[in-house]
Amino acid sequence: MVTSSRPADDDGMTTTTNKQLVEDFISALFTDGDLTALDRYLDPDFVNHDPPLPGSPDGAAGMREAAEVFRKAFPDWRSDVQHMIAEDDL
C-alpha cells in the first residue's frame, strides 16, 4: 500500500490525488479534445482568473470556447504534463 508523505487536505484529497486530477483534466480536454471534461472536472462556480481569449465568457463557457478554437486550429494538439507543482503554499 502506498501512502502519501503529506496528510490529506480537509476534503480528503492528497497532493498526489490533486495532481492526478489536474493531469487527467488536461489530457481529456486538450489531448483528447473531450469537451465533456469541462462538465466532469470543473465546478459550476468555476472562475478562470486567466481567461484564454479576450472577451471570453466567464467560467466553464470561456474554457469551452477556447478549447473549441484551439482544437479547430490545431486538430492534432497534444498536451503532455512535464512538471507540476502543488506542494505547500504557492
Side-chain angles (χ1 to χ4, degrees):
M1 177 176 180
V2 177
T3 58
S4 172
S5 61
R6 185 165 183 217
D9 295 332
D10 291 340
D11 62 0
M13 300 285 286
T14 65
T15 300
T16 302
T17 304
N18 285 337
K19 285 181 175 182
Q20 188 61 57
L21 188 69
V22 170
E23 187 170 351
D24 291 347
F25 172 66
I26 290 169
S27 178
L29 182 60
F30 294 109
T31 299
D32 300 337
D34 179 6
L35 295 176
T36 66
L38 293 158
D39 303 319
R40 290 193 315 275
Y41 288 95
L42 297 185
D43 186 85
D45 295 326
F46 167 75
V47 175
N48 190 347
H49 296 282
D50 185 23
L53 300 173
S56 292
D58 291 335
M63 287 287 287
R64 182 179 312 277
E65 183 180 283
E68 289 171 338
V69 167
F70 295 153
R71 179 60 55 178
K72 186 175 181 179
F74 306 101
D76 56 349
W77 178 302
R78 178 172 181 82
S79 293
D80 296 314
V81 176
Q82 300 295 316
H83 302 282
M84 188 179 305
I85 301 170
E87 292 79 13
D88 298 321
D89 185 9
L90 302 176

